[in-house]
Structure formats: structure tokens, C-alpha cells
Amino acid sequence: MSSTLLATIHIITVNIFLLLYIIKTILLFSNEAMLDKFTRVTKVIEMIISTLFLISGIWLLFILGAVKMLLIIKFILVFISIPVAMKGFKNKNKILAVLSLLMIIGAYGLSEAAKNKPFIPSMVEVNGNAAETEKTGIKTYMANCAMCHGKDGMKMYRDAKDLTQSSLDEASIELMVSEGSKGKMPAFGGTLSNEEITAVSAYILTLRK
């Protein structure tokens, strides 16, 4: 399954999951009898949605091979919120129900906030006789870019640009690396030095066919 399709499934299931919990919380405060009926009707659907939500998220991380700090916090919130929600709605405990909903909304917000944040870079060692600038470019690329673009530039994770087919010049690449692309590629201007950005941009040019 492509990462783009998987991401679409994840986003849809997250939104349905959030909607279900909003409805249940409203019913808990307004009509407990209706909540019981709604819970019975949607029990199987909720199990399927929550399973797809978790599996698709973990699968995406597995394909990516990297994680962001905000996403770690997001997954912690989600895993805590589910048992809290189950106990809250089962016992008609409004405090627990609201707490679980707030955690889910918080997880959703963290996911959105993480879009323009860089991933936690991996440690890369480069051996050989390459010049220091070349080594810096390779190390920076492998540590920060390869998870989405692939070691050869052709991974195209969630529609990431195929770098072997890119027509951008070096200055444009430097700008893209520094400022990112809103909603898709994170900005690395705050995490990489100017020397690293220059070096990685020069290395990206070498990936072209």
C-alpha cells in the first residue's frame, strides 16, 4: 500500500474517531439514554475505526523509519486516552470522558503542529576520502532527508518530490530546505546550519539522473 493512500486512511479514521468521541461526550452531558443507544449502535464501528487509526499511524511510522518529538507525545496521549474514555463512558464519569476528549483533541493538534517540524535526525557516519563538504552533505541528507526522499532520492514518501527528477537549481534547493513547504516538507532553517544546508543542497544535485 502506498504511503499516500495509507496517510489518507489515517486522516479519515482520525477525523471519524474524533467525531465519535465528541458526539458521545455531548450525549453524556445531555442524554445518557441516547448515549447508551449510540454506544451500542457504534460499538463495532468504533472498534474498527480505532484499530485502523492506530495501525495506519504505526504503519506510516514504520515506512518512514523516523519520528518527530511531537508525534511521540501524540501517540502517548492517544494510548492513554482510549482506556480513560472506555472507563469514563462506561461509568458515566463526565470528568474522565472530558479528559479523554481533551487528550484526543490535543493529540490531533500535536499532529497538525508536527507537520512543519523536522524529524529527529538519525546518526550517520561517512567513511572514505570525500571532501569535508561532501561528507557534510551526505551526512545531513541521510540524517534528515532520506526518510522521506530515500537514499537514492526516489522514495516519494507521501508524495515527497522525486529528487532524481527535480529541476530546481542549487539556490532554490537551499531555500526549500531552509523554509520547507507548508503542510508537506518541514523547514530545516532552525535546525541545520547554513553550511549544512549548502552542503546538503549540493549533494541533492548529485542524485539527479
Side-chain angles (χ1 to χ4, degrees):
M1 184 181 296
S2 74
S3 57
T4 302
L5 177 58
L6 195 59
T8 301
I9 292 172
H10 183 67
I11 291 168
I12 291 172
T13 54
V14 165
N15 286 325
I16 295 174
F17 186 81
L18 179 60
L19 179 61
L20 286 172
Y21 273 77
I22 290 173
I23 294 172
K24 289 174 70 172
T25 303
I26 292 172
L27 291 176
L28 177 60
F29 280 85
S30 61
N31 192 327
E32 291 188 4
M34 185 64 72
L35 171 63
D36 291 335
K37 183 177 180 180
F38 182 81
T39 300
R40 286 195 300 271
V41 171
T42 61
K43 184 176 181 180
V44 175
I45 295 173
E46 186 177 328
M47 289 176 60
I48 294 172
I49 291 298
S50 59
T51 301
L52 284 174
F53 166 32
L54 293 172
I55 290 176
S56 60
I58 294 170
W59 195 348
L60 281 169
L61 286 178
F62 178 77
I63 294 173
L64 184 63
V67 70
K68 299 179 181 182
M69 184 58 68
L70 289 179
L71 292 181
I72 294 175
I73 300 172
K74 167 197 167 183
F75 272 98
I76 291 173
L77 284 176
V78 169
F79 278 110
I80 293 175
S81 70
I82 292 175
V84 170
M86 289 174 64
K87 187 172 183 179
F89 288 115
K90 181 179 180 180
N91 298 330
K92 303 295 193 300
N93 188 313
K94 295 176 181 178
I95 293 176
L96 289 181
V98 171
L99 179 61
S100 68
L101 179 61
L102 289 175
M103 284 192 286
I104 293 169
I105 293 173
Y108 186 92
L110 286 172
S111 181
E112 289 298 307
K115 286 182 178 179
N116 289 317
K117 299 292 183 182
F119 292 92
I120 300 173
S122 55
M123 298 299 294
V124 179
E125 294 293 333
V126 178
N127 300 313
N129 299 319
E132 284 306 311
T133 300
E134 292 178 68
K135 287 185 178 181
T136 299
I138 294 169
K139 288 174 66 175
T140 304
Y141 179 85
M142 293 301 176
N144 299 277
C145 312
M147 64 274 294
C148 291
H149 291 286
K151 293 181 179 180
D152 58 1
M154 300 171 64
K155 184 176 179 180
M156 299 174 66
Y157 176 80
R158 293 183 67 173
D159 295 328
K161 184 73 174 179
D162 181 349
L163 298 179
T164 67
Q165 303 296 325
S166 175
S167 60
L168 296 179
D169 58 26
E170 189 168 350
S172 298
I173 294 173
E174 288 186 23
L175 185 64
M176 179 68 75
V177 172
S178 179
E179 298 186 0
S181 175
K182 190 171 183 180
K184 297 190 74 173
M185 177 177 164
F188 288 91
T191 57
L192 298 178
S193 66
N194 291 335
E195 291 76 13
E196 288 173 323
I197 292 175
T198 298
V200 76
S201 299
Y203 176 72
I204 288 170
L205 289 174
T206 69
L207 297 174
R208 294 182 184 175
K209 291 184 178 180

